[in-house]
Amino acid sequence: MIYEYEIHGYGDVEEEILIEKLTEAGLFDVLIERDIDINAFIDEQSDMAEDTLSEKWHEISKAEFMPKTGLVEMITKQFESASVKSRKSLALAIHAGCLEMDISMHTEGLLILKIFNRLKVD
């Protein structure tokens, strides 16, 4: 009899290694979905104030990939109320908005990575 397995794990292992090991164990059609640990990501962000971060967020908030569901407004309100405009306060605002809008951790992870990758480019 063939079974379908769903395996959850935490770690920092390359997908190729996981697929190789699972294939060796007899599994086939292996699909890996990788999610970031949102809390760990937030903890890694800087608490240092950045003078141009509000302007950068304003530009990123207009990006094509941003949801048009009211999430941007929620993030902006939360971020603007932060006493220090830092990458950590922006990450916390994104997380709070996603929680409020009941956005999945997977989608939140993709969104936060896209936003912070845009911050690196600017």
mmCIF file of all heavy atoms in Angstrom, residues 73-113:
data_model
loop_
_atom_site.group_PDB
_atom_site.id
_atom_site.type_symbol
_atom_site.label_atom_id
_atom_site.label_comp_id
_atom_site.label_asym_id
_atom_site.label_seq_id
_atom_site.Cartn_x
_atom_site.Cartn_y
_atom_site.Cartn_z
ATOM 1 N N GLU A 73 -2.304 49.539 4.691
ATOM 2 C CA GLU A 73 -2.752 50.581 5.619
ATOM 3 C C GLU A 73 -2.521 50.165 7.070
ATOM 4 O O GLU A 73 -2.109 50.979 7.906
ATOM 5 C CB GLU A 73 -4.224 50.904 5.377
ATOM 6 C CG GLU A 73 -4.492 51.585 4.045
ATOM 7 C CD GLU A 73 -4.533 50.635 2.848
ATOM 8 O OE1 GLU A 73 -4.484 49.392 3.031
ATOM 9 O OE2 GLU A 73 -4.608 51.135 1.718
ATOM 10 N N MET A 74 -2.777 48.894 7.377
ATOM 11 C CA MET A 74 -2.575 48.395 8.737
ATOM 12 C C MET A 74 -1.098 48.429 9.123
ATOM 13 O O MET A 74 -0.738 48.842 10.225
ATOM 14 C CB MET A 74 -3.121 46.979 8.871
ATOM 15 C CG MET A 74 -4.616 46.891 8.737
ATOM 16 S SD MET A 74 -5.190 45.215 8.921
ATOM 17 C CE MET A 74 -5.323 45.182 10.696
ATOM 18 N N ILE A 75 -0.245 47.986 8.189
ATOM 19 C CA ILE A 75 1.200 47.992 8.442
ATOM 20 C C ILE A 75 1.683 49.430 8.639
ATOM 21 O O ILE A 75 2.428 49.718 9.573
ATOM 22 C CB ILE A 75 1.971 47.311 7.292
ATOM 23 C CG1 ILE A 75 1.638 45.822 7.228
ATOM 24 C CG2 ILE A 75 3.484 47.529 7.452
ATOM 25 C CD1 ILE A 75 2.142 45.122 5.979
ATOM 26 N N THR A 76 1.240 50.323 7.760
ATOM 27 C CA THR A 76 1.669 51.718 7.832
ATOM 28 C C THR A 76 1.255 52.343 9.162
ATOM 29 O O THR A 76 2.063 53.011 9.819
ATOM 30 C CB THR A 76 1.089 52.529 6.657
ATOM 31 O OG1 THR A 76 1.551 51.930 5.427
ATOM 32 C CG2 THR A 76 1.522 53.981 6.712
ATOM 33 N N LYS A 77 0.027 52.112 9.569
ATOM 34 C CA LYS A 77 -0.463 52.670 10.836
ATOM 35 C C LYS A 77 0.381 52.161 12.012
ATOM 36 O O LYS A 77 0.808 52.943 12.867
ATOM 37 C CB LYS A 77 -1.928 52.292 11.039
ATOM 38 C CG LYS A 77 -2.532 52.839 12.304
ATOM 39 C CD LYS A 77 -3.987 52.434 12.419
ATOM 40 C CE LYS A 77 -4.548 52.919 13.747
ATOM 41 N NZ LYS A 77 -5.914 52.434 13.961
ATOM 42 N N GLN A 78 0.646 50.860 12.026
ATOM 43 C CA GLN A 78 1.436 50.259 13.104
ATOM 44 C C GLN A 78 2.874 50.790 13.076
ATOM 45 O O GLN A 78 3.428 51.150 14.118
ATOM 46 C CB GLN A 78 1.433 48.735 12.945
ATOM 47 C CG GLN A 78 2.162 47.976 14.001
ATOM 48 C CD GLN A 78 1.318 47.717 15.227
ATOM 49 O OE1 GLN A 78 0.110 47.854 15.206
ATOM 50 N NE2 GLN A 78 1.967 47.363 16.305
ATOM 51 N N PHE A 79 3.468 50.855 11.888
ATOM 52 C CA PHE A 79 4.846 51.297 11.755
ATOM 53 C C PHE A 79 4.995 52.770 12.137
ATOM 54 O O PHE A 79 5.928 53.146 12.848
ATOM 55 C CB PHE A 79 5.351 51.057 10.327
ATOM 56 C CG PHE A 79 6.772 51.468 10.085
ATOM 57 C CD1 PHE A 79 7.799 50.958 10.858
ATOM 58 C CD2 PHE A 79 7.078 52.368 9.090
ATOM 59 C CE1 PHE A 79 9.120 51.339 10.640
ATOM 60 C CE2 PHE A 79 8.391 52.743 8.856
ATOM 61 C CZ PHE A 79 9.409 52.235 9.637
ATOM 62 N N GLU A 80 4.076 53.590 11.668
ATOM 63 C CA GLU A 80 4.158 55.024 11.964
ATOM 64 C C GLU A 80 3.961 55.318 13.449
ATOM 65 O O GLU A 80 4.433 56.324 13.950
ATOM 66 C CB GLU A 80 3.157 55.813 11.119
ATOM 67 C CG GLU A 80 3.484 55.821 9.634
ATOM 68 C CD GLU A 80 4.876 56.340 9.307
ATOM 69 O OE1 GLU A 80 5.339 57.297 9.959
ATOM 70 O OE2 GLU A 80 5.513 55.788 8.396
ATOM 71 N N SER A 81 3.292 54.423 14.170
ATOM 72 C CA SER A 81 3.090 54.632 15.606
ATOM 73 C C SER A 81 4.301 54.188 16.437
ATOM 74 O O SER A 81 4.367 54.480 17.629
ATOM 75 C CB SER A 81 1.836 53.899 16.086
ATOM 76 O OG SER A 81 2.039 52.503 16.066
ATOM 77 N N ALA A 82 5.259 53.509 15.797
ATOM 78 C CA ALA A 82 6.462 53.061 16.513
ATOM 79 C C ALA A 82 7.326 54.266 16.867
ATOM 80 O O ALA A 82 7.497 55.180 16.055
ATOM 81 C CB ALA A 82 7.259 52.080 15.652
ATOM 82 N N SER A 83 7.847 54.258 18.082
ATOM 83 C CA SER A 83 8.669 55.395 18.524
ATOM 84 C C SER A 83 9.999 55.459 17.777
ATOM 85 O O SER A 83 10.543 56.536 17.568
ATOM 86 C CB SER A 83 8.902 55.327 20.028
ATOM 87 O OG SER A 83 9.521 54.107 20.371
ATOM 88 N N VAL A 84 10.525 54.299 17.376
ATOM 89 C CA VAL A 84 11.780 54.228 16.622
ATOM 90 C C VAL A 84 11.479 53.548 15.290
ATOM 91 O O VAL A 84 10.931 52.452 15.259
ATOM 92 C CB VAL A 84 12.855 53.424 17.393
ATOM 93 C CG1 VAL A 84 14.117 53.277 16.569
ATOM 94 C CG2 VAL A 84 13.152 54.073 18.734
ATOM 95 N N LYS A 85 11.820 54.215 14.208
ATOM 96 C CA LYS A 85 11.611 53.649 12.865
ATOM 97 C C LYS A 85 12.832 52.800 12.511
ATOM 98 O O LYS A 85 13.805 53.273 11.953
ATOM 99 C CB LYS A 85 11.409 54.750 11.825
ATOM 100 C CG LYS A 85 10.299 55.724 12.133
ATOM 101 C CD LYS A 85 8.956 55.042 12.230
ATOM 102 C CE LYS A 85 7.828 56.006 12.440
ATOM 103 N NZ LYS A 85 7.603 56.427 13.808
ATOM 104 N N SER A 86 12.757 51.531 12.872
ATOM 105 C CA SER A 86 13.862 50.606 12.625
ATOM 106 C C SER A 86 13.349 49.441 11.791
ATOM 107 O O SER A 86 12.140 49.272 11.599
ATOM 108 C CB SER A 86 14.402 50.076 13.958
ATOM 109 O OG SER A 86 13.419 49.272 14.590
ATOM 110 N N ARG A 87 14.274 48.633 11.317
ATOM 111 C CA ARG A 87 13.884 47.442 10.562
ATOM 112 C C ARG A 87 13.075 46.489 11.446
ATOM 113 O O ARG A 87 12.152 45.836 10.977
ATOM 114 C CB ARG A 87 15.107 46.765 9.971
ATOM 115 C CG ARG A 87 15.697 47.601 8.845
ATOM 116 C CD ARG A 87 16.955 47.026 8.260
ATOM 117 N NE ARG A 87 17.469 47.948 7.275
ATOM 118 C CZ ARG A 87 17.414 47.743 5.952
ATOM 119 N NH1 ARG A 87 16.890 46.642 5.494
ATOM 120 N NH2 ARG A 87 17.879 48.639 5.117
ATOM 121 N N LYS A 88 13.423 46.426 12.722
ATOM 122 C CA LYS A 88 12.662 45.566 13.631
ATOM 123 C C LYS A 88 11.236 46.087 13.801
ATOM 124 O O LYS A 88 10.285 45.298 13.773
ATOM 125 C CB LYS A 88 13.336 45.458 14.992
ATOM 126 C CG LYS A 88 12.589 44.514 15.941
ATOM 127 C CD LYS A 88 13.355 44.215 17.197
ATOM 128 C CE LYS A 88 14.315 43.100 16.880
ATOM 129 N NZ LYS A 88 15.004 42.572 18.041
ATOM 130 N N SER A 89 11.067 47.403 13.938
ATOM 131 C CA SER A 89 9.710 47.938 14.095
ATOM 132 C C SER A 89 8.891 47.735 12.821
ATOM 133 O O SER A 89 7.685 47.482 12.891
ATOM 134 C CB SER A 89 9.731 49.407 14.527
ATOM 135 O OG SER A 89 10.320 50.233 13.564
ATOM 136 N N LEU A 90 9.533 47.791 11.657
ATOM 137 C CA LEU A 90 8.822 47.507 10.408
ATOM 138 C C LEU A 90 8.428 46.036 10.349
ATOM 139 O O LEU A 90 7.286 45.707 10.005
ATOM 140 C CB LEU A 90 9.664 47.888 9.195
ATOM 141 C CG LEU A 90 9.028 47.599 7.830
ATOM 142 C CD1 LEU A 90 7.676 48.301 7.675
ATOM 143 C CD2 LEU A 90 9.973 47.996 6.703
ATOM 144 N N ALA A 91 9.341 45.143 10.695
ATOM 145 C CA ALA A 91 9.031 43.707 10.692
ATOM 146 C C ALA A 91 7.894 43.398 11.663
ATOM 147 O O ALA A 91 6.991 42.607 11.345
ATOM 148 C CB ALA A 91 10.274 42.901 11.036
ATOM 149 N N LEU A 92 7.913 44.016 12.828
ATOM 150 C CA LEU A 92 6.840 43.817 13.810
ATOM 151 C C LEU A 92 5.508 44.340 13.275
ATOM 152 O O LEU A 92 4.451 43.724 13.494
ATOM 153 C CB LEU A 92 7.192 44.503 15.131
ATOM 154 C CG LEU A 92 8.246 43.806 15.975
ATOM 155 C CD1 LEU A 92 8.740 44.721 17.096
ATOM 156 C CD2 LEU A 92 7.704 42.494 16.549
ATOM 157 N N ALA A 93 5.540 45.461 12.570
ATOM 158 C CA ALA A 93 4.319 46.019 11.982
ATOM 159 C C ALA A 93 3.756 45.091 10.906
ATOM 160 O O ALA A 93 2.537 44.870 10.833
ATOM 161 C CB ALA A 93 4.602 47.398 11.394
ATOM 162 N N ILE A 94 4.624 44.526 10.094
ATOM 163 C CA ILE A 94 4.185 43.572 9.057
ATOM 164 C C ILE A 94 3.560 42.355 9.721
ATOM 165 O O ILE A 94 2.483 41.895 9.328
ATOM 166 C CB ILE A 94 5.362 43.167 8.149
ATOM 167 C CG1 ILE A 94 5.863 44.375 7.356
ATOM 168 C CG2 ILE A 94 4.959 42.024 7.213
ATOM 169 C CD1 ILE A 94 7.224 44.171 6.706
ATOM 170 N N HIS A 95 4.225 41.842 10.743
ATOM 171 C CA HIS A 95 3.720 40.661 11.456
ATOM 172 C C HIS A 95 2.359 40.953 12.091
ATOM 173 O O HIS A 95 1.426 40.158 11.953
ATOM 174 C CB HIS A 95 4.740 40.229 12.514
ATOM 175 C CG HIS A 95 4.356 38.998 13.256
ATOM 176 N ND1 HIS A 95 4.074 37.792 12.631
ATOM 177 C CD2 HIS A 95 4.198 38.776 14.588
ATOM 178 C CE1 HIS A 95 3.768 36.894 13.545
ATOM 179 N NE2 HIS A 95 3.829 37.466 14.746
ATOM 180 N N ALA A 96 2.226 42.105 12.748
ATOM 181 C CA ALA A 96 0.954 42.467 13.388
ATOM 182 C C ALA A 96 -0.160 42.594 12.345
ATOM 183 O O ALA A 96 -1.281 42.117 12.559
ATOM 184 C CB ALA A 96 1.115 43.764 14.173
ATOM 185 N N GLY A 97 0.141 43.222 11.217
ATOM 186 C CA GLY A 97 -0.853 43.366 10.156
ATOM 187 C C GLY A 97 -1.280 42.024 9.588
ATOM 188 O O GLY A 97 -2.471 41.787 9.353
ATOM 189 N N CYS A 98 -0.325 41.144 9.372
ATOM 190 C CA CYS A 98 -0.642 39.817 8.835
ATOM 191 C C CYS A 98 -1.472 39.002 9.826
ATOM 192 O O CYS A 98 -2.401 38.292 9.422
ATOM 193 C CB CYS A 98 0.645 39.072 8.468
ATOM 194 S SG CYS A 98 1.451 39.732 6.985
ATOM 195 N N LEU A 99 -1.152 39.112 11.100
ATOM 196 C CA LEU A 99 -1.961 38.425 12.121
ATOM 197 C C LEU A 99 -3.385 38.960 12.122
ATOM 198 O O LEU A 99 -4.354 38.190 12.166
ATOM 199 C CB LEU A 99 -1.340 38.585 13.507
ATOM 200 C CG LEU A 99 -0.111 37.749 13.829
ATOM 201 C CD1 LEU A 99 0.443 38.127 15.195
ATOM 202 C CD2 LEU A 99 -0.430 36.265 13.778
ATOM 203 N N GLU A 100 -3.511 40.276 12.072
ATOM 204 C CA GLU A 100 -4.837 40.911 12.092
ATOM 205 C C GLU A 100 -5.668 40.502 10.877
ATOM 206 O O GLU A 100 -6.874 40.305 10.971
ATOM 207 C CB GLU A 100 -4.676 42.431 12.137
ATOM 208 C CG GLU A 100 -5.977 43.184 12.232
ATOM 209 C CD GLU A 100 -6.682 43.018 13.564
ATOM 210 O OE1 GLU A 100 -6.009 42.760 14.577
ATOM 211 O OE2 GLU A 100 -7.928 43.151 13.589
ATOM 212 N N MET A 101 -5.021 40.378 9.731
ATOM 213 C CA MET A 101 -5.716 40.031 8.488
ATOM 214 C C MET A 101 -5.841 38.514 8.298
ATOM 215 O O MET A 101 -6.340 38.062 7.282
ATOM 216 C CB MET A 101 -4.982 40.633 7.284
ATOM 217 C CG MET A 101 -4.903 42.143 7.263
ATOM 218 S SD MET A 101 -6.463 42.942 6.932
ATOM 219 C CE MET A 101 -6.794 42.431 5.276
ATOM 220 N N ASP A 102 -5.354 37.756 9.274
ATOM 221 C CA ASP A 102 -5.413 36.287 9.239
ATOM 222 C C ASP A 102 -4.697 35.723 8.006
ATOM 223 O O ASP A 102 -5.196 34.820 7.339
ATOM 224 C CB ASP A 102 -6.862 35.813 9.290
ATOM 225 C CG ASP A 102 -6.981 34.369 9.743
ATOM 226 O OD1 ASP A 102 -6.060 33.890 10.443
ATOM 227 O OD2 ASP A 102 -7.981 33.707 9.393
ATOM 228 N N ILE A 103 -3.534 36.271 7.723
ATOM 229 C CA ILE A 103 -2.715 35.821 6.596
ATOM 230 C C ILE A 103 -1.848 34.667 7.085
ATOM 231 O O ILE A 103 -1.272 34.720 8.170
ATOM 232 C CB ILE A 103 -1.867 36.993 6.056
ATOM 233 C CG1 ILE A 103 -2.810 38.036 5.431
ATOM 234 C CG2 ILE A 103 -0.809 36.523 5.066
ATOM 235 C CD1 ILE A 103 -2.148 39.302 4.993
ATOM 236 N N SER A 104 -1.730 33.633 6.282
ATOM 237 C CA SER A 104 -0.976 32.440 6.686
ATOM 238 C C SER A 104 0.494 32.774 6.913
ATOM 239 O O SER A 104 1.030 33.719 6.331
ATOM 240 C CB SER A 104 -1.096 31.344 5.620
ATOM 241 O OG SER A 104 -0.318 31.680 4.488
ATOM 242 N N MET A 105 1.136 31.974 7.761
ATOM 243 C CA MET A 105 2.557 32.164 8.046
ATOM 244 C C MET A 105 3.382 32.025 6.769
ATOM 245 O O MET A 105 4.366 32.731 6.586
ATOM 246 C CB MET A 105 3.032 31.175 9.109
ATOM 247 C CG MET A 105 2.401 31.388 10.477
ATOM 248 S SD MET A 105 2.865 32.947 11.216
ATOM 249 C CE MET A 105 4.430 32.512 11.896
ATOM 250 N N HIS A 106 2.977 31.112 5.897
ATOM 251 C CA HIS A 106 3.704 30.913 4.642
ATOM 252 C C HIS A 106 3.656 32.191 3.798
ATOM 253 O O HIS A 106 4.690 32.678 3.328
ATOM 254 C CB HIS A 106 3.109 29.737 3.867
ATOM 255 C CG HIS A 106 3.765 29.506 2.554
ATOM 256 N ND1 HIS A 106 5.000 28.912 2.440
ATOM 257 C CD2 HIS A 106 3.371 29.792 1.296
ATOM 258 C CE1 HIS A 106 5.342 28.846 1.166
ATOM 259 N NE2 HIS A 106 4.372 29.370 0.462
ATOM 260 N N THR A 107 2.461 32.749 3.629
ATOM 261 C CA THR A 107 2.299 33.960 2.833
ATOM 262 C C THR A 107 2.990 35.138 3.503
ATOM 263 O O THR A 107 3.643 35.949 2.833
ATOM 264 C CB THR A 107 0.803 34.263 2.604
ATOM 265 O OG1 THR A 107 0.210 33.129 1.959
ATOM 266 C CG2 THR A 107 0.604 35.506 1.768
ATOM 267 N N GLU A 108 2.880 35.230 4.823
ATOM 268 C CA GLU A 108 3.562 36.298 5.552
ATOM 269 C C GLU A 108 5.070 36.214 5.342
ATOM 270 O O GLU A 108 5.734 37.221 5.128
ATOM 271 C CB GLU A 108 3.249 36.222 7.047
ATOM 272 C CG GLU A 108 3.968 37.272 7.856
ATOM 273 C CD GLU A 108 3.736 37.170 9.349
ATOM 274 O OE1 GLU A 108 2.868 36.402 9.794
ATOM 275 O OE2 GLU A 108 4.443 37.874 10.097
ATOM 276 N N GLY A 109 5.607 35.006 5.397
ATOM 277 C CA GLY A 109 7.041 34.818 5.188
ATOM 278 C C GLY A 109 7.485 35.279 3.813
ATOM 279 O O GLY A 109 8.497 35.968 3.667
ATOM 280 N N LEU A 110 6.710 34.911 2.796
ATOM 281 C CA LEU A 110 7.040 35.353 1.432
ATOM 282 C C LEU A 110 6.985 36.872 1.322
ATOM 283 O O LEU A 110 7.864 37.499 0.731
ATOM 284 C CB LEU A 110 6.069 34.725 0.426
ATOM 285 C CG LEU A 110 6.136 33.213 0.256
ATOM 286 C CD1 LEU A 110 5.006 32.732 -0.659
ATOM 287 C CD2 LEU A 110 7.484 32.789 -0.289
ATOM 288 N N LEU A 111 5.965 37.462 1.922
ATOM 289 C CA LEU A 111 5.783 38.907 1.867
ATOM 290 C C LEU A 111 6.913 39.640 2.585
ATOM 291 O O LEU A 111 7.509 40.571 2.040
ATOM 292 C CB LEU A 111 4.431 39.280 2.469
ATOM 293 C CG LEU A 111 4.031 40.739 2.390
ATOM 294 C CD1 LEU A 111 3.897 41.182 0.938
ATOM 295 C CD2 LEU A 111 2.722 40.957 3.135
ATOM 296 N N ILE A 112 7.242 39.199 3.774
ATOM 297 C CA ILE A 112 8.274 39.887 4.558
ATOM 298 C C ILE A 112 9.639 39.776 3.867
ATOM 299 O O ILE A 112 10.414 40.726 3.858
ATOM 300 C CB ILE A 112 8.300 39.380 6.017
ATOM 301 C CG1 ILE A 112 8.875 40.456 6.942
ATOM 302 C CG2 ILE A 112 9.047 38.084 6.173
ATOM 303 C CD1 ILE A 112 8.627 40.198 8.416
ATOM 304 N N LEU A 113 9.907 38.638 3.237
ATOM 305 C CA LEU A 113 11.168 38.494 2.508
ATOM 306 C C LEU A 113 11.213 39.426 1.299
ATOM 307 O O LEU A 113 12.245 40.053 1.035
ATOM 308 C CB LEU A 113 11.388 37.048 2.073
ATOM 309 C CG LEU A 113 11.762 36.070 3.184
ATOM 310 C CD1 LEU A 113 11.877 34.658 2.632
ATOM 311 C CD2 LEU A 113 13.044 36.479 3.883
#
